[in-house]
Amino acid sequence: METPIVCPDLSFQESNITLSGDQILDNRNLKLCRLCLLQFQKNEQSKDSIFFRDGIRQIDFVLSYVDDLRKDAEIKAERRKEFEQNLRKSGLELEIEDKRDSEDGRTYFVKIHAPWEVLVTYAEVLGIKMPIKESDVPRNEDTPLTYMLSAVKLPASVKYPHPEYFTAQFSRHRQELFLIDDPSTFFPSSARNRIVYYILSRCPFGIEDGKKRFGIERLLNSSTYLAAYPLHDGQYWKPSEPPNPVNERYTLHQNWARFSFFYKEQPLDLIRKKWKKFLLTSFLHLLIMLVFIHFFAIVTLFLEFWKQRQATLEYQWDLVDFEEEQQQLQLRPEFEAMCKHRKMNTVTKEMEPHMPLWNRIPWYVLSGATVTLWMTLVVACMVAVIVYRLSVFATFASFIQSEASLQPVRSFLTPQLTTALTGSCLNFIVILILNFFYEKISAWITKMEIPRTYQEYESSLTLKMFLFQFVNYYSSCFYVAFFKGKFVGYPGQYTYLFKTWRSEECDPGGCLIELTTQLTIIMTGKQICGNIKEAIFPLILNWWRRRKSRTNSEKLYSRWEQDHDLESFGHLGLFYEYLETVIQFGFVTLFVASFTLAPLLALMNNIIAIRVDAWKLTTQYRRPVAAKAHSIGVWQDILFGMAVLSVATNAFIVAFTSDIIPRVVYHYAYSINITHPLQGYVNNSLSIFLTADFPNHTLPVDKRDFTTCRYRDYRHPPDHTDKYLHNKQFWHVLAAKMTFIILMEHIVFLFKFLLAWMIPDVPKDVVDRIKREKLMTVKILHEFELNKLREDLGVQPSELQKHVMIEANKAKQAKRTI
């Protein structure tokens, strides 16, 4: 007779294993039975499952680790044990996947689920806003421009996947107020991930060296855990299967990451739901408007319209009343761990960790010295490139003159062009090398400063990185635009670098062509290298990681294992995206007067970059941890600063780098030809030098049969009493240049501030919608509290209303009496 045995501790209804005969199961056989059954049901589970083995509890976070065979293996194991025990004490539920069930046979996975009580508690702590009523404010979509741009619009189901709601900060004591249809889906995955990461970043794992240690980041840095990440909600190339929720990763890949959709708008609501801090996508989208920049009112319009766009997103994404201290001003766990002192907070009247200033001063000094040293190193490298150009110019000039086989190419392969191209390429390589090392050093120094809050950390790192990147990328361009050829002297009195190399001169046509060459190589090279780094490197690394891990192909390659083999986006992933975009903004605005192709290159790069970013985030990277931000932060101040600086740089380029002003001065003050006023300009711009006045050490090698030579400058001739000194025309041209700069700056700034005053930071329709939402939210909260009070008191609605009116009248009467 066959006796069915049921494993009682499993959450599956049809979990029967049949044994023949009268066999008696001992404890060992029962354990084996359960293990086989778990393996069977695990293999039956979908590869895309984002649930625990019971198929009910959703996986909100995953930790991974391997057995360590080094000396500190026991310490790491003890840390993990203590950490996971404390996670359970905080209310989280854990399920561990043994290494024998993993694809590589060596990795353990700890799956974490946040139950309802944990979610409602921390949603209140973090001030997360949740829906209380569907919004009755219509979306402003029906405009003439909308119909004209219908080709670039996304389907409504993609652009607006969910209705808009009136929201309020969640309170676990007023759960009846919120639209909770299903507790398991009430909190979106981004909010669940954020709550779990908040707990992980503050969970202790022991006391070491007399200090309390806590936080998942410290465990990751010590390799106690290999990775900590939330899961994608499915495969990017196919929809998910029930019971999994809708696969928004697939929707994003289809409508955001495909290059064939380069002309389409972006599904910002879906991006927001998956990555709340990815405001950069909209920022990049708006930056495409810069393609039409040629002076500076358009820059102002761009920045002002960005403010409006940002305000609209703040409203749509429930960030209007978002208090920055909820996240950015929270104390960093690293700061709390390093603090030995505590101090009374004057606002909250609570004791909190405090680090005296004198403990930080040595790191501040080291930080400032390091940034200064690296900026000096950039200038030194630029000088080295200048020396390279000077030495190569002389060598190549003599070589091309002596080599008869190069006669056909002499007309276009000039020494000036050759040194400009090779020098620009060498300078770009140096820029990449310096960037690579400085990024590591600046991140390390910022951590050593022990910033108090996340905002302080990001601001400190932003300042260091931007200052260095500004000098690194723009120093050679500033040199060519404003210094090269300006201090060369004149024949017989040339200036020398290190008393060896004569100062560089511009091409006879000016330095604009060389500046354009420099900008083209640096900007184009940066964009190409950036796209390769962002797309090709993750693809290769992920392929290699999957290739190494798949030792047993017949085993289940689960959702958490698939995401584990992806690249980590990291805490600074978005930071580098902002930095890259701001540097591009500088190329487009600072030197646009000399490089009018810069906006076109920016347009082409941004069209590609938007889709590359979308593709890598949906296919090659783990899902980032959701984070809130109501703006682009300090980057907006940097953009405004660069926009102001661009007025000055372009004014100086027009005045001093080009020959526009000298031509205008000649046209109106010195030309004697009425029909062709610029005829004779070149001859007028060349001064005369007597070859007999050459010092012996500067005599030309080849003596020619001429007594004078011409050079570009405004100086008196050799027969003048003030020979070789600047003549009156030089001062006229200089005065005209300075007048142009002052007038241009004042006019542009006046127009800029006038536009900024005329264009409101927040659109009127958004202001009205915000007021409507606040009014409705207060009304709903009032009605809820009133109904709750009535239920508690057991009073009829009419009696309660009468009581409230009486009390209100008493209050008014008392006020009048006073």
Side-chain angles (χ1 to χ4, degrees):
M1 183 178 177
E2 296 182 347
T3 306
I5 304 296
V6 179
C7 297
D9 61 336
L10 302 176
S11 303
F12 299 91
Q13 295 180 353
E14 299 179 1
S15 307
N16 298 339
I17 294 181
T18 302
L19 300 175
S20 60
D22 296 324
Q23 185 176 6
I24 299 175
L25 294 177
D26 56 13
N27 289 336
R28 181 178 178 183
N29 290 335
L30 184 58
K31 289 180 180 178
L32 182 62
C33 160
R34 291 172 178 170
L35 182 61
C36 293
L37 183 56
L38 278 173
Q39 185 65 36
F40 171 77
Q41 289 166 343
K42 177 178 165 66
N43 291 335
E44 286 295 309
Q45 196 176 23
S46 169
K47 291 184 179 181
D48 290 334
S49 175
I50 57 172
F51 296 96
F52 277 17
R53 297 189 195 104
D54 58 14
I56 299 174
R57 292 174 292 173
Q58 181 177 336
I59 300 172
D60 296 314
F61 230 86
V62 176
L63 309 177
S64 66
Y65 65 92
V66 295
D67 288 327
D68 202 329
L69 302 179
R70 291 178 293 185
K71 294 182 180 179
D72 58 351
E74 293 184 1
I75 297 176
K76 292 180 179 178
E78 186 61 31
R79 288 174 182 166
R80 285 193 294 265
K81 180 181 178 182
E82 183 73 17
F83 186 69
E84 290 168 14
Q85 285 180 350
N86 289 328
L87 288 179
R88 290 188 174 96
K89 289 178 182 177
S90 67
L92 297 178
E93 297 175 0
L94 277 58
E95 186 176 79
I96 300 177
E97 293 289 333
D98 193 84
K99 65 179 181 180
R100 291 171 296 181
D101 297 325
S102 65
E103 183 71 13
D104 59 4
R106 56 190 294 269
T107 306
Y108 295 87
F109 292 94
V110 181
K111 300 177 291 186
I112 301 175
H113 169 75
W116 177 254
E117 285 303 318
V118 171
L119 292 174
V120 297
T121 300
Y122 283 93
E124 185 172 9
V125 171
L126 296 175
I128 296 177
K129 286 188 172 183
M130 299 305 295
I132 55 177
K133 182 182 179 182
E134 188 169 344
S135 175
D136 59 0
V137 181
R139 293 188 173 100
N140 295 330
E141 289 293 315
D142 298 329
T143 62
L145 187 61
T146 302
Y147 293 108
M148 293 173 59
L149 299 176
S150 58
V152 302
K153 296 291 184 180
L154 289 170
S157 59
V158 175
K159 187 176 181 181
Y160 303 114
H162 305 287
E164 289 188 345
Y165 294 96
F166 295 132
T167 60
Q169 287 193 359
F170 187 81
S171 171
R172 55 179 174 157
H173 301 297
R174 297 190 293 187
Q175 295 185 29
E176 303 87 354
L177 173 65
F178 298 89
L179 302 179
I180 307 177
D181 296 328
D182 183 358
S184 63
T185 59
F186 175 65
F187 289 101
S189 57
S190 57
R192 300 175 69 100
N193 302 339
R194 186 174 155 218
I195 288 171
V196 174
Y197 183 76
Y198 181 87
I199 298 173
L200 290 173
S201 63
R202 284 157 176 77
C203 182
F205 58 83
I207 298 176
E208 298 176 2
D209 300 328
K211 296 181 180 178
K212 188 177 181 181
R213 305 293 184 183
F214 54 88
I216 186 62
E217 292 300 324
R218 188 178 290 272
L219 293 174
L220 291 172
N221 292 335
S222 64
S223 299
T224 304
Y225 287 102
L226 295 180
Y229 54 93
L231 292 179
H232 285 294
D233 46 15
Q235 304 281 12
Y236 66 85
W237 64 82
K238 66 176 182 179
S240 58
E241 301 174 357
N244 287 337
V246 175
N247 187 356
E248 293 177 345
R249 185 188 187 192
Y250 169 76
T251 307
L252 282 171
H253 183 263
Q254 292 296 307
N255 296 278
W256 183 41
R258 291 197 298 173
F259 285 92
S260 59
F261 276 41
F262 73 91
Y263 61 94
K264 293 281 190 180
E265 63 180 341
Q266 301 180 78
L268 293 181
D269 278 9
L270 274 177
I271 298 169
R272 168 243 179 171
K273 190 175 179 184
K274 208 163 174 60
W275 302 288
K276 281 198 174 181
K277 203 176 178 181
F278 213 75
L279 273 168
L280 178 66
T281 55
S282 179
F283 180 46
L284 282 171
H285 193 59
L286 285 174
L287 193 59
I288 291 176
M289 293 168 57
L290 290 173
V291 68
F292 298 112
I293 287 181
H294 284 287
F295 286 107
F296 304 97
I298 303 298
V299 181
T300 302
L301 287 175
F302 162 72
L303 294 174
E304 293 302 319
F305 284 138
W306 164 248
K307 285 184 186 177
Q308 290 199 342
R309 179 63 168 156
Q310 183 172 268
T312 304
L313 289 176
E314 284 180 29
Y315 168 74
Q316 293 176 350
W317 293 7
D318 276 334
L319 296 171
V320 174
D321 296 323
F322 172 64
E323 296 292 337
E324 197 74 20
E325 59 266 18
Q326 289 179 6
Q327 183 166 326
Q328 289 296 312
L329 296 184
Q330 288 173 354
L331 297 180
R332 297 173 65 242
E334 295 85 350
F335 176 83
E336 296 183 49
M338 294 294 294
C339 286
K340 297 179 181 179
H341 305 275
R342 301 187 75 82
K343 182 181 179 181
M344 176 72 74
N345 187 311
T346 56
V347 177
T348 62
K349 300 300 181 183
E350 295 179 356
M351 299 297 292
E352 62 178 25
H354 170 69
M355 182 170 289
L357 180 61
W358 58 82
N359 288 355
R360 298 192 193 183
I361 286 179
W363 289 108
Y364 287 148
V365 173
L366 177 62
S367 175
T370 303
V371 174
T372 305
L373 174 65
W374 277 84
M375 291 169 65
T376 306
L377 183 61
V378 170
V379 176
C381 291
M382 183 185 69
V383 173
V385 173
I386 294 172
V387 172
Y388 160 81
R389 283 202 297 256
L390 291 170
S391 58
V392 168
F393 179 87
T395 303
F396 187 77
S398 60
F399 174 74
I400 200 171
Q401 288 293 333
S402 60
E403 192 66 32
S405 60
L406 296 177
Q407 182 67 28
V409 298
R410 285 181 188 174
S411 59
F412 61 88
L413 192 62
T414 62
Q416 290 92 342
L417 178 62
T418 305
T419 54
L421 286 174
T422 57
S424 298
C425 293
L426 180 62
N427 185 65
F428 176 65
I429 294 172
V430 171
I431 286 173
L432 294 181
I433 294 173
L434 292 176
N435 268 351
F436 176 79
F437 289 105
Y438 183 77
E439 285 178 4
K440 313 293 182 185
I441 293 174
S442 61
W444 177 76
I445 288 179
T446 306
K447 287 182 179 179
M448 292 299 102
E449 290 176 0
I450 319 175
R452 184 173 179 270
T453 64
Y454 289 104
Q455 189 178 53
E456 288 181 11
Y457 177 84
E458 289 188 4
S459 298
S460 177
L461 183 61
T462 299
L463 179 63
K464 292 183 184 64
M465 287 298 299
F466 176 73
L467 283 177
F468 175 78
Q469 296 266 22
F470 187 92
V471 175
N472 198 21
Y473 278 106
Y474 302 140
S475 58
S476 60
C477 300
F478 273 94
Y479 165 73
V480 174
F482 306 122
F483 296 98
K484 185 176 180 180
K486 305 298 187 295
F487 311 101
V488 296
Y490 61 93
Q493 292 292 330
Y494 286 119
T495 57
Y496 286 82
L497 183 65
F498 304 128
K499 297 182 180 181
T500 305
W501 293 283
R502 206 175 89 184
S503 296
E504 280 191 295
E505 293 187 57
C506 293
D507 189 80
C511 283
L512 274 182
I513 297 202
E514 185 175 343
L515 178 59
T516 301
T517 304
Q518 185 92 353
L519 288 166
T520 303
I521 290 176
I522 294 177
M523 186 175 178
T524 307
K526 181 181 183 300
Q527 292 175 353
I528 293 174
C529 291
N531 286 325
I532 291 176
K533 180 182 176 182
E534 292 184 7
I536 306 299
F537 282 6
L539 188 66
I540 295 174
L541 290 174
N542 291 340
W543 170 81
W544 179 252
R545 193 180 291 112
R546 285 192 296 266
R547 184 176 180 273
K548 284 200 327 181
S549 66
R550 293 190 179 182
T551 55
N552 300 298
S553 58
E554 72 277 2
K555 288 190 177 181
L556 178 66
Y557 194 47
S558 59
R559 171 83 268 136
W560 46 90
E561 290 178 280
Q562 295 174 46
D563 285 10
H564 182 263
D565 288 343
L566 298 177
E567 277 290 290
S568 173
F569 189 69
H571 294 295
L572 297 178
L574 195 58
F575 170 84
Y576 289 117
E577 296 283 351
Y578 278 124
L579 182 62
E580 178 185 354
T581 306
V582 168
I583 294 297
Q584 185 198 69
F585 182 86
F587 280 120
V588 170
T589 56
L590 293 177
F591 307 101
V592 70
S594 65
F595 188 36
T596 52
L597 281 178
L600 179 61
L601 291 177
L603 170 67
M604 296 170 61
N605 176 74
N606 288 341
I607 288 174
I608 297 172
I610 287 174
R611 305 304 161 181
V612 169
D613 286 341
W615 174 80
K616 75 179 184 183
L617 282 169
T618 54
T619 65
Q620 303 301 315
Y621 280 82
R622 296 173 190 154
R623 181 175 183 171
V625 179
K628 280 190 174 184
H630 64 72
S631 68
I632 59 175
V634 70
W635 297 108
Q636 186 160 311
D637 298 327
I638 291 175
L639 288 176
F640 277 94
M642 294 183 75
V644 171
L645 180 62
S646 68
V647 177
T649 56
N650 284 279
F652 273 88
I653 286 173
V654 172
F656 286 95
T657 308
S658 72
D659 62 348
I660 294 176
I661 303 300
R663 285 175 180 270
V664 172
V665 172
Y666 177 80
H667 179 283
Y668 290 103
Y670 293 92
S671 177
I672 57 176
N673 192 325
I674 299 176
T675 56
H676 300 90
L678 287 179
Q679 187 173 358
Y681 165 74
V682 174
N683 185 62
N684 175 265
S685 65
L686 299 176
S687 297
I688 302 173
F689 182 79
L690 189 66
T691 57
D693 290 337
F694 271 119
N696 292 331
H697 66 280
T698 62
L699 282 173
V701 177
D702 298 330
K703 293 186 178 180
R704 307 285 179 89
D705 294 331
F706 50 78
T707 59
T708 61
C709 64
R710 308 293 296 273
Y711 61 98
R712 190 169 187 178
D713 206 343
Y714 295 104
R715 293 180 182 271
H716 290 295
D719 57 352
H720 196 275
T721 55
D722 296 325
K723 69 175 184 178
Y724 305 141
L725 295 180
H726 287 123
N727 58 22
K728 183 171 64 174
Q729 188 173 352
F730 171 83
W731 300 109
H732 286 173
V733 171
L734 180 62
K737 289 179 177 179
M738 299 307 298
T739 302
F740 169 79
I741 291 172
I742 294 172
L743 286 176
M744 179 181 174
E745 287 184 348
H746 280 72
I747 292 172
V748 171
F749 283 137
L750 179 64
F751 195 56
K752 177 183 184 300
F753 291 123
L754 183 63
L755 283 176
W757 175 74
M758 292 174 59
I759 302 173
D761 290 348
V762 183
K764 185 179 183 305
D765 66 306
V766 175
V767 172
D768 294 340
R769 290 160 72 92
I770 291 173
K771 290 180 179 178
R772 170 67 178 168
E773 179 164 343
K774 286 185 176 180
L775 176 65
M776 292 301 299
T777 302
V778 170
K779 183 178 179 181
I780 293 169
L781 290 173
H782 175 73
E783 291 177 354
F784 173 80
E785 294 295 343
L786 201 63
N787 291 334
K788 190 175 181 182
L789 179 62
R790 184 187 65 205
E791 292 175 1
D792 293 341
L793 297 176
V795 182
Q796 295 296 326
S798 57
E799 296 179 3
L800 182 61
Q801 187 176 4
K802 182 180 178 180
H803 175 73
V804 170
M805 292 178 65
I806 291 173
E807 293 297 327
N809 289 332
K810 287 182 179 178
K812 287 181 180 179
Q813 187 65 32
K815 187 175 181 181
R816 289 172 185 167
T817 304
I818 294 173

